[in-house]
Amino acid sequence: MRLATLDNDTPDGALVLVSADGARMVEVGAGAPNLLALMADWTAGQPALGDAAARLDAGEGTATGTLRAPMPRSWQWLDGSAFDQHGKLMQIAFGLDPIESDRPLMYQGMSDRFYGPNDDIPFPSEDDGIDFEGEFGVIVDAVPMGTSAADAMKHIRLIVQINDWSLRTIAPIEMKTGFGWVQAKPACSIAPIAVTPDELGEDWREGRVCLDLDVEWNGARFGAANGREMAFGFHELVAHAARTRDLVAGTIIGSGTVSSPDYAKVGSSCISERRAIEMIEKGLPETQFMRFGDRVRMAARRTDGTHPFGTIEQTVVQR
């Protein structure tokens, strides 16, 4: 199934199912009025989803309207850093010592708002080092404390594509305090479509989204790294997060920036990585961070050229 949220001037929007070609949508209705409500009781919402799917298959539906983030707000957003190559390059970019750990890296970020796929993104200053970060994420139902990685797979209900906005000038300052990020990590953006794992078929393997994530900056190709390179699968990230706490239904867990050891060929999913590569190759970074008016476009791509999550396409503006 392909789920989305229609803007209806309410905080959580209206849950809709979207046709495979993206041309039609049907509202799910009272049985699951929004995605947050559906996640709160996934099983209870299945009849409403099934009815909406039947109507969509029968040719019903209206033209797709203005879509927000599939879940415009949630109870919890946990972002990992599951791509080893990204971590190595960021250590170079920020002049940090390697993190010696066999555990997934993860922090808790801002979850009370997620930008929609075509929202303008406001920032107070270009001097803060505005950067995009393309990644994938999952939305889980209620996960009990102590859930194993094997059991965590059945709690992954939906998969999403995320742009985790970052302010790179502020990040190393906050990292050195030993506390979590606040100023360096504003609200994220999410592509319009959340898909069930079966919708991806063979592109969902071992808890990984095995798709190229195409990234363009101001219309120029920037990267197309593949999500299969995760050192930890999403099931392992879920288990890590649930080791000492229950995860509330609707928790979103991110992969961290999609990255590849073959970066010379496939490029990167964030500017800071490119700057680190320039430091390795040339001694100094040359690429500047984003300016007001800059545009970024992200879309995971299947081998047939389709985009299962739709597209994030946004412009950076001054607050």
Side-chain angles (χ1 to χ4, degrees):
M1 290 186 179
R2 293 161 47 85
L3 286 72
T5 292
L6 181 67
D7 190 2
N8 67 351
D9 294 324
T10 65
D12 298 303
L15 182 62
V16 298
L17 290 189
V18 180
S19 61
D21 63 3
R24 291 177 295 114
M25 66 178 187
V26 295
E27 286 199 37
V28 177
N34 55 66
L35 187 51
L36 198 56
L38 173 63
M39 298 311 303
D41 196 336
W42 181 266
T43 300
Q46 293 310 296
L49 283 183
D51 177 70
R55 287 185 280 128
L56 198 62
D57 290 343
E60 296 183 28
T62 60
T64 305
T66 301
L67 299 178
R68 301 170 63 182
M71 186 175 285
R73 58 179 180 171
S74 183
W75 304 111
Q76 185 166 225
W77 155 241
L78 302 171
D79 197 16
S81 182
F83 291 85
D84 284 347
Q85 188 61 50
H86 176 70
K88 293 174 183 177
L89 290 172
M90 295 306 288
Q91 288 159 17
I92 294 169
F94 290 140
L96 302 173
D97 293 330
I99 298 173
E100 302 295 342
S101 176
D102 59 356
R103 304 172 59 183
L105 302 179
M106 186 174 289
Y107 73 92
Q108 185 161 324
M110 175 180 173
S111 64
D112 58 284
R113 178 183 184 182
F114 293 95
Y115 288 116
N118 300 116
D119 290 344
D120 288 343
I121 309 300
F123 292 107
S125 173
E126 294 176 339
D127 294 336
D128 290 337
I130 303 167
D131 198 358
F132 49 80
E133 288 193 64
E135 59 183 88
F136 297 111
V138 297
I139 307 177
V140 299
D141 60 14
V143 182
M145 183 191 306
T147 294
S148 68
D151 289 339
M153 287 295 285
K154 67 176 180 287
H155 292 287
I156 296 174
R157 298 298 189 179
L158 295 169
I159 306 169
V160 293
Q161 176 194 308
I162 298 168
N163 181 5
D164 175 32
W165 291 99
S166 296
L167 298 175
R168 299 301 195 185
T169 304
I170 301 172
I173 298 171
E174 292 192 315
M175 291 169 71
K176 290 174 182 176
T177 67
F179 285 78
W181 283 304
V182 176
Q183 294 179 349
K185 290 291 187 178
C188 301
S189 305
I190 306 183
I193 309 295
V195 304
T196 50
D198 62 287
E199 188 75 21
L200 292 184
E202 288 300 310
D203 293 324
W204 172 249
R205 300 192 300 274
E206 299 179 337
R208 293 160 172 83
V209 180
C210 301
L211 293 172
D212 291 343
L213 180 58
D214 290 336
V215 180
E216 296 179 3
W217 181 13
N218 290 332
R221 179 187 182 276
F222 193 85
N226 193 289
R228 64 173 172 262
E229 303 283 356
M230 288 174 72
F232 297 94
F234 275 111
H235 56 308
E236 294 168 300
L237 296 183
V238 172
H240 173 78
R243 182 178 180 273
T244 60
R245 65 170 90 175
D246 297 327
L247 299 184
V248 66
T251 294
I252 307 175
I253 297 179
S255 66
T257 306
V258 180
S259 186
S260 171
D262 196 18
Y263 55 75
K265 178 180 178 181
V266 304
S268 299
S269 302
C270 72
I271 298 171
S272 198
E273 265 199 23
R274 177 173 286 185
R275 287 167 59 88
I277 294 165
E278 291 168 346
M279 291 171 69
I280 294 170
E281 296 178 348
K282 305 174 184 179
L284 291 171
E286 295 179 350
T287 302
Q288 301 302 307
F289 291 111
M290 299 185 80
R291 301 294 183 186
F292 297 135
D294 280 5
R295 295 171 290 107
V296 63
R297 184 181 189 275
M298 298 180 180
R301 171 175 43 84
R302 307 189 82 156
T303 55
D304 63 3
T306 59
H307 304 130
F309 305 104
T311 301
I312 293 174
E313 192 158 5
Q314 300 181 308
T315 301
V316 170
V317 299
Q318 185 168 21
R319 167 66 87 184

